[in-house]
Amino acid sequence: MKQLIKEPLIHFFLLGGLLFVLYTQVNKSDTEQDIIVDNADVEHMAELWRMQWQRPPTSEELQGLIDKYVNQEVLYREALRMNLDHNDEIVKRRLAQKMEFLSQDLSGLVAPASEENLKSYFEEHQKDFATPYRYTLYQILFTADNHVNPYDKAKAVLKEYGSMDTQNMRDKGDPFLLDYALQDTDAFYLNREFGEQFSQQLETLPTGQWAGPIVSGYGVHLVFIESRTPPSTPNFAQVKDKVQREYEYQMEQESQAAILKALKDNYKVRITADNLEKATIDELAQNQQP
C-alpha cells in the first residue's frame, strides 16, 4: 500500500482529480446549479418509455429514468463548463443540424399561396408539370458477357435482320430478365428500369422499324418503337395540388436560404488555406460574400 502511494502515476491522477474539482467549483453559478425536473420532463420520459416498451413505466423504472436524466444533465453541464464541446465534430454537426431544423420550422411559417401566385408559378414552370413521353416498343439486348463488342454485334444484327417483324426478331438478342414488349409505358418507368440515357435516346429514333443501337446500363439494345406519344402540358386545374406542393417547397427552400444568408452576414469568412489552387480559393471566397 505504501509503495502504491509513492507511485508517480497515482500522484498524477490525484492531482488531476483535484484540479477537476477546483475548476468546477470556481466556475459555478447559482442559477447553473439548479437542475429542475418538472411535470413536463417526467411525462416526456414516461411517454418515451411507453413508445419503446408498449406499457407505462413502474415507479422504480420511472425513478431510474429520472436518475439517468439528472446524471446526464450533470455531466452535460460539466462538459460545457470545461469547454469539451469545443472543436468536437459530432457536436458541431448535431448543433448545425438542429439549427437547420429550426430554420425549416421558421420557413414553414410562410403564408399560404394565393390562387394568383400558384397560377403564376405554373406558367413559369409549365415544363415541370408536362406529362412524360409514352411508348409502346419492343427491345432486344446485347451484352459484354456474350459478345466481345456488343455495339458492333447489334449493328450487324440490325443490318441483317432489321426488316423482320417484332415476333421473329425476339430471339436475335441475348436472354434478358426485363420484358421484350413494353405496352403504353412512360419514360419514368423506362428511366427506373433501363436508365435515363436509354429513354432519352428513344426520343429521336424513328417509329415503325427496328432502330439503334442505343445504350443502357445493361448493354446495347435494338428497339422497335410501335408508338410514341410526346409530352403534353395539362391545364392548371388538373395539376393544381402538385403545383401547390412544388410552390410551397420552393418557398421553403428560398426562405431557408434567406435565413442562412442573414446569419452568415454576421460573420466575416476568410479562406486562409495555402494548399488550395488560387482559383479554388477565389471561388470559395466569392461564395461567402453577403
Side-chain angles (χ1 to χ4, degrees), residues 103 251-264:
S103 70
M251 292 302 103
E252 287 181 6
Q253 294 298 302
E254 292 180 0
S255 176
Q256 289 178 37
I259 292 172
L260 180 57
K261 181 181 182 303
L263 294 174
K264 288 176 70 175

Side-chain angles (χ1 to χ4, degrees), residues 14-29 32-33 74-86:
L14 290 174
L15 181 60
L18 179 60
L19 290 174
F20 177 87
V21 172
L22 288 174
Y23 181 90
T24 56
Q25 292 299 318
V26 169
N27 287 277
K28 283 182 180 179
S29 69
E32 290 179 345
Q33 295 309 110
V74 168
L75 294 174
Y76 166 71
R77 295 188 186 188
E78 293 302 320
L80 290 182
R81 192 172 287 116
M82 296 181 69
N83 207 26
L84 297 183
D85 59 317
H86 183 63

Side-chain angles (χ1 to χ4, degrees), residues 207-245:
T207 60
Q209 66 183 68
W210 284 100
I214 64 173
V215 179
S216 78
Y218 296 103
V220 181
H221 301 256
L222 296 178
V223 295
F224 186 103
I225 301 177
E226 189 172 280
S227 67
R228 176 174 53 215
T229 304
S232 62
T233 303
N235 60 52
F236 173 73
Q238 291 175 304
V239 291
K240 180 180 177 180
D241 290 344
K242 184 178 181 181
V243 172
Q244 182 167 349
R245 289 194 300 271

Side-chain angles (χ1 to χ4, degrees), residues 40-57 62 65:
D41 293 324
V42 174
E43 290 172 4
H44 180 66
M45 296 177 207
E47 181 59 29
L48 291 178
W49 178 279
R50 276 192 292 268
M51 290 174 61
Q52 182 175 0
W53 301 104
Q54 305 300 311
R55 64 173 177 82
L62 189 56
L65 293 174

Side-chain angles (χ1 to χ4, degrees), residues 16-220:
L18 179 60
L19 290 174
F20 177 87
V21 172
L22 288 174
Y23 181 90
T24 56
Q25 292 299 318
V26 169
N27 287 277
K28 283 182 180 179
S29 69
D30 294 337
T31 56
E32 290 179 345
Q33 295 309 110
D34 294 337
I35 297 178
I36 300 173
V37 182
D38 58 20
N39 289 335
D41 293 324
V42 174
E43 290 172 4
H44 180 66
M45 296 177 207
E47 181 59 29
L48 291 178
W49 178 279
R50 276 192 292 268
M51 290 174 61
Q52 182 175 0
W53 301 104
Q54 305 300 311
R55 64 173 177 82
T58 64
S59 298
E60 292 79 8
E61 290 166 340
L62 189 56
Q63 183 59 52
L65 293 174
I66 294 172
D67 290 341
K68 184 177 179 180
Y69 170 83
V70 171
N71 292 342
Q72 176 179 278
E73 190 67 19
V74 168
L75 294 174
Y76 166 71
R77 295 188 186 188
E78 293 302 320
L80 290 182
R81 192 172 287 116
M82 296 181 69
N83 207 26
L84 297 183
D85 59 317
H86 183 63
N87 282 338
D88 187 305
E89 288 299 322
I90 296 176
V91 173
K92 283 184 179 181
R93 193 179 304 121
R94 180 56 178 156
L95 292 178
Q97 186 182 54
K98 294 188 78 170
M99 284 298 297
E100 288 180 356
F101 291 155
L102 178 59
S103 70
Q104 289 173 7
D105 291 340
L106 293 174
S107 64
L109 300 177
V110 176
S114 66
E115 188 89 355
E116 182 180 354
N117 287 340
L118 291 179
K119 287 182 177 179
S120 176
Y121 182 83
F122 173 70
E123 293 297 328
E124 294 175 6
H125 302 83
Q126 284 195 30
K127 67 179 188 302
D128 296 333
F129 301 99
T131 60
Y133 275 98
R134 299 194 71 86
Y135 298 92
T136 292
L137 62 83
Y138 304 84
Q139 60 79 31
I140 57 175
L141 172 70
F142 304 90
T143 69
D145 292 337
N146 296 303
H147 309 282
V148 175
N149 190 323
Y151 195 89
D152 286 347
K153 176 63 177 179
K155 288 173 64 177
V157 169
L158 180 64
K159 182 177 180 180
E160 185 173 356
Y161 302 107
S163 60
M164 281 188 170
D165 59 28
T166 55
Q167 183 175 357
N168 293 315
M169 190 69 158
R170 181 170 189 166
D171 62 354
K172 302 303 181 186
D174 300 339
F176 191 32
L177 293 176
L178 296 182
D179 293 334
Y180 168 66
L182 299 166
Q183 302 291 329
D184 193 27
T185 303
D186 65 36
F188 292 145
Y189 173 84
L190 296 175
N191 288 343
R192 186 174 71 247
E193 297 297 326
F194 294 88
E196 189 172 345
Q197 183 182 13
F198 178 85
S199 63
Q200 287 178 343
Q201 294 168 95
L202 294 177
E203 296 175 9
T204 57
L205 290 182
T207 60
Q209 66 183 68
W210 284 100
I214 64 173
V215 179
S216 78
Y218 296 103
V220 181

